[in-house]
Amino acid sequence: EMAVESGDSFLQRFSVKNIDLFNIGALLKLKFKGIEPSEMKPVFAEGGLLDIQELRALTGKNMADIPSHLKETSYKTIGGAAVEEFQTAKTTIKIDELMQNHMIDFIKEAKSVTYGIAPVVAYFWAKKNNAQIIRMILLSKSPDWIPD
């Protein structure tokens, strides 16, 4: 809502991508954990390009159906690779990596902008990303850390 009020197209696209990636990640992680649709509380955020009702419908379907639903979107590589990783390695780490890479590709366009909000958003997102990477490294060095 605030992104729309700002009138900045980069901020609006950034916000929509964040919402969509959150929703895709939530859907895939719920499916991976085997939580039944009847047990779920509302977890999907509104404001993205992906239809929430379709995402809710996907929670009751087979995980293999998710990539075909995303194939017409800019998130098509995330769905297929994440499902493949789930089926082979039984982990959710790949989905986080794919979502980060998707946002990095999007943020790269802010490098060509000299003035405006795009470079500021890109700077703070990069700082947040670096902090998450450091946190993951420190967690993985912890003796009691158990991956998904």
Side-chain angles (χ1 to χ4, degrees), residues 73-86:
T73 69
S74 63
Y75 311 109
K76 59 185 165 229
T77 55
I78 295 173
V83 169
E84 185 179 310
E85 183 72 14
F86 285 154

Side-chain angles (χ1 to χ4, degrees), residues 18-32 44 50 55 70 78 86 92 95-96 99:
N18 269 318
I19 291 168
D20 283 342
L21 289 172
F22 170 81
N23 287 340
I24 291 169
L27 171 66
L28 290 169
K29 289 176 182 180
L30 288 170
K31 293 299 293 177
F32 178 72
F44 299 116
L50 300 176
L55 291 172
L70 296 175
I78 295 173
F86 285 154
T92 62
I95 182 65
D96 295 326
M99 291 189 316

Side-chain angles (χ1 to χ4, degrees), residues 5-18:
E5 290 175 8
S6 76
D8 187 82
S9 66
F10 178 84
L11 187 58
Q12 291 170 4
R13 289 180 294 136
F14 177 81
S15 178
V16 166
K17 281 203 176 291
N18 269 318

